[in-house]
C-alpha cells in the first residue's frame, strides 16, 4: 500500500505506554483479588439481594478489567503498526507466547482439581477433555468444582486465537486511514450487544450457556483495544480525551458505573439467568468500567507516578496474579474442611483472609516453578530461531532478554 499522505502519522510522537507499564501490573493484582473476593463472598453465603450482597456479587466485574488489560496489551503492537504504517507482530511467535503463557500452569491446576478435589461423582471423560483443552464453555456441564472460574480463561483463549484475524480485517485501515480504527472498534462492540438475544435464540444443548461465549464480551476487550489505539496515535489526535483521562475524573465515574451494574439493571448476582436486556446492559457498562479504570494509567504522560499500583508489593502480586486467579477456587474449596468451616454459613472475613494468604503462597510457587521457567524456555526457543536466521550468538542473548521483558508486560 502506498504511504503517500501517511508521513505525519509515521513521524508524530505517540502518547506513550509503549513498553512495560508498572501500574497495569498492580491493576492486574487488584482484579485477581476482586475475583477471589466475589467467590469467597458467594461461598460464605454473603451474595444475595441485600445491598452489600449485590456489591459482593458484582465484584465479578473484575473480569472486565482482565479482558480490557488483554485487549490493550495484545492489540497495542497492531495499533502501533497501523498508526506508523509499519509491520505488525509475527503471528507465529504471538501464538506460541500465548500458549506458553497460559497452558503450563493451567494444566497443573486443572489436573489437581479434577484428580484430588472431593466430589460426589468422579469427573467424566468429557469433563476431563473440556477442562484440559479450555473448551468447557462449549461442553455441557463441564464447569466443575475448583475450576468454575475458568469459563473466563476459555473466553480469553478464544480472543487470543481471533485477535490476528481482527488485525487482518483492519489491515487497510492504517496510516492516513488510522483515525477510522476507533470508530470501527466501537461499532463492533455496540453490534456485539445483540448477542444477548441472538445467542438466546440458538438451540444449544442443556448445560451450555451462550453468555459464556466470546461474542458476549467483545465490549470488554474492545475497551482495551480502543485505549491501545489512543496511546499509539499521535499525541494531538486524542488530546481532549487524554486531558479527561485523569484519576479524579475517571475513577469516580467508574464507581458510579459499578454502582449502576450492582442494581437490577445489571441482572441478578446469583446463579439465576438474567434477562437478555439486563445481560446486554452489563456487557456494555462493563466495557465502560474497564475503560474508565485503565484510561488514567495508560493515557497519563510517560513517567507519571502511580505510587500504590506500581509499588513493590503490588508488582509482586501482579506477577503472581495469574496464579492467584487459577488457584484460588482450589484453595477456597480446601479451606472449608481444613479449618472446619461450613460453606454458606458466614465467616467471610476469615475465609477471605485464609484464601488470600494461601492463594498468594501457591501462586508464588506456581510462578517460580512453572510460569517463569516456561517463559524462559520460550525465550530461549525464540532466541535460537533468531540466531538461526542471523547467525549470531549475540542475537541469542538479546532475544532472550527481549522476550522475557516483553512477556512480563503481558
Amino acid at each position: 500500500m502506498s504511504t503517500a499522505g501517511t508521513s505525519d502519522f509515521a513521524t508524530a510522537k505517540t502518547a506513550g505506554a509503549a513498553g512495560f507499564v508498572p501500574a497495569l501490573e498492580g491493576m492486574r493484582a487488584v482484579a485477581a483479588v476482586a475475583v477471589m473476593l466475589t467467590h469467597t463472598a458467594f461461598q460464605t453465603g454473603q451474595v444475595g439481594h441485600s445491598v452489600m450482597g449485590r456489591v459482593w456479587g458484582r465484584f465479578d466485574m473484575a473480569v472486565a478489567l482482565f479482558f480490557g488489560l488483554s485487549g490493550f496489551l495484545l492489540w497495542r503492537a497492531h495499533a502501533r503498526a497501523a498508526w506508523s504504517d509499519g509491520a505488525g507482530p509475527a503471528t507465529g511467535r504471538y501464538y506460541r507466547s500465548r500458549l506458553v503463557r497460559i497452558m503450563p500452569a493451567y494444566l497443573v491446576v486443572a489436573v489437581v482439581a479434577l484428580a484430588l478435589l472431593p466430589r460426589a461423582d468422579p469427573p467424566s471423560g468429557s469433563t476431563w477433555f473440556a477442562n484440559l483443552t479450555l473448551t468447557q464453555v462449549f461442553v455441557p456441564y463441564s464447569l466443575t468444582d475448583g475450576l468454575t472460574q475458568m469459563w473466563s480463561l476459555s473466553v480469553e483463549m478464544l480472543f487470543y486465537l481471533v485477535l490476528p484475524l481482527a488485525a487482518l480485517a483492519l489491515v487497510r485501515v492504517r496510516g492516513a486511514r488510522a483515525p477510522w480504527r476507533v470508530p470501527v472498534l466501537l461499532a463492533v462492540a455496540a453490534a456485539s450487544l445483540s448477542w444477548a438475544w441472538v445467542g438466546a435464540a440458538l438451540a444449544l444443548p442443556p448445560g451450555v450457556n451462550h453468555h459464556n461465549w466470546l461474542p458476549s464480551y467483545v465490549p470488554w476487550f474492545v475497551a482495551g483495544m480502543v485505549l491501545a489505539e489512543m496511546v499509539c496515535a499521535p499525541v494531538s489526535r486524542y488530546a481532549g480525551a487524554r486531558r479527561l483521562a485523569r484519576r479524579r475524573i475517571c475513577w469516580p465515574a467508574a464507581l458510579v458505573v459499578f454502582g449502576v451494574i450492582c442494581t437490577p439493571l445489571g441482572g441478578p448476582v446469583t446463579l439465576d439467568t438474567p434477562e437478555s436486556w439486563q445481560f446486554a446492559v452489563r456487557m456494555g457498562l462493563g466495557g465502560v468500567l474497564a475503560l474508565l479504570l485503565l484510561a488514567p494509567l495508560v493515557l497519563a504522560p510517560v513517567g507519571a507516578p502511580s505510587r500504590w499500583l506500581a509499588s513493590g508489593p503490588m508488582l509482586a502480586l501482579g506477577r503472581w496474579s495469574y496464579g492467584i486467579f487459577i488457584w484460588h477456587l482450589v484453595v477456597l474449596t480446601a479451606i472449608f474442611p481444613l479449618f472446619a468451616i461450613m460453606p454458606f454459613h458466614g465467616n467471610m472475613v476469615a475465609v477471605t483472609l485464609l484464601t488470600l494468604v494461601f492463594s498468594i503462597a501457591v501462586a508464588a510457587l506456581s510462578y517460580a516453578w512453572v510460569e517463569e521457567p516456561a517463559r524462559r524456555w520460550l525465550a530461549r526457543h525464540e532466541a535460537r530461531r533468531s540466531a538461526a536466521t542471523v547467525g549470531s550468538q549475540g542475537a541469542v542473548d538479546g532475544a532472550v532478554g527481549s522476550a522475557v521483558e516483553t512477556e512480563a508486560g503481558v
Side-chain angles (χ1 to χ4, degrees):
M1 183 178 71
S2 172
T3 59
T6 66
S7 60
D8 289 344
F9 297 105
T11 60
K13 180 181 178 182
T14 58
F20 177 65
V21 184
L24 294 184
E25 197 82 336
M27 187 62 86
R28 197 197 309 269
V30 171
V33 173
V35 170
M36 185 211 72
L37 184 59
T38 201
H39 289 141
T40 58
F42 181 82
Q43 293 290 337
T44 54
Q46 304 306 302
V47 172
H49 300 290
S50 67
V51 173
M52 282 309 302
R54 296 194 67 85
V55 171
W56 296 131
R58 283 284 78 99
F59 268 63
D60 63 356
M61 294 304 296
V63 177
L65 192 52
F66 273 131
F67 287 177
L69 280 165
S70 291
F72 173 77
L73 292 169
L74 298 177
W75 188 252
R76 189 168 47 173
H78 296 287
R80 187 181 306 118
W83 283 94
S84 65
D85 208 29
T91 302
R93 179 170 181 170
Y94 160 78
Y95 280 134
R96 290 190 295 271
S97 71
R98 293 298 87 208
L99 187 68
V100 172
R101 176 70 182 95
I102 296 300
M103 292 306 294
Y106 170 75
L107 289 175
V108 173
V109 69
V111 169
V112 168
L114 291 169
L116 300 182
L117 287 186
R119 45 175 52 88
D121 298 305
S124 65
S126 64
T127 298
W128 272 91
F129 174 82
N131 281 276
L132 292 179
T133 58
L134 273 176
T135 56
Q136 55 267 66
V137 297
F138 305 110
V139 179
Y141 302 112
S142 59
L143 291 174
T144 188
D145 293 346
L147 300 173
T148 53
Q149 84 278 30
M150 300 304 186
W151 69 266
S152 62
L153 198 55
S154 181
V155 170
E156 182 120 11
M157 282 294 283
L158 190 55
F159 171 73
Y160 295 163
L161 288 174
V162 304
L163 187 71
L165 300 179
L168 183 62
L170 291 177
V171 69
R172 297 186 65 83
V173 189
R174 55 193 293 121
R177 299 173 183 157
W180 285 101
R181 293 172 66 87
V182 168
V184 168
L185 289 171
L186 292 176
V188 170
S192 73
L193 296 177
S194 65
W195 179 253
W197 292 270
V198 173
L202 299 177
L204 297 178
V208 175
N209 188 352
H210 72 283
H211 289 165
N212 291 338
W213 289 11
L214 176 60
S216 297
Y217 301 96
V218 169
W220 297 8
F221 289 108
V222 164
M225 295 165 74
V226 166
L227 290 174
E229 295 288 340
M230 294 175 70
V231 302
C232 293
V235 172
S236 59
R237 180 69 199 177
Y238 297 106
R242 292 190 185 98
R243 283 194 293 269
L244 291 174
R246 298 173 180 172
R247 290 172 218 186
R248 65 174 181 269
I249 296 175
C250 286
W251 287 357
L255 186 61
V256 172
V257 171
F258 178 75
V260 174
I261 297 173
C262 289
T263 71
L265 290 173
V269 296
T270 58
L271 299 179
D272 296 332
T273 302
E275 298 291 337
S276 293
W277 67 267
Q278 291 175 316
F279 187 74
V281 166
R282 181 151 55 95
M283 295 302 100
L285 290 180
V288 176
L289 179 67
L291 189 144
L292 290 171
L293 289 173
L294 294 175
L297 303 180
V298 302
L299 296 180
V302 176
S306 182
R307 293 182 179 85
W308 179 63
L309 289 174
S311 65
M314 292 304 294
L315 289 177
L317 288 176
R319 285 193 297 272
W320 303 331
S321 59
Y322 179 58
I324 294 172
F325 176 79
I326 62 176
W327 279 104
H328 77 271
L329 275 184
V330 171
V331 171
L332 177 59
T333 302
I335 288 295
F336 290 109
L338 284 175
F339 291 90
I341 300 173
M342 287 289 291
F344 301 104
H345 282 73
N347 295 305
M348 177 182 168
V349 173
V351 170
T352 298
L353 290 176
L354 289 168
T355 303
L356 179 62
V357 169
F358 283 99
S359 294
I360 290 173
V362 174
L365 293 176
S366 174
Y367 182 83
W369 292 351
V370 182
E371 297 173 54
E372 185 64 11
R375 279 199 291 271
R376 290 193 174 275
W377 173 86
L378 178 64
R380 290 192 295 270
H381 173 75
E382 298 295 346
R384 285 193 293 270
R385 291 172 62 94
S386 298
T389 302
V390 302
S392 168
Q393 180 61 37
V396 175
D397 298 335
V400 170
S402 175
V404 172
E405 181 180 359
T406 300
E407 282 301 301
V410 178

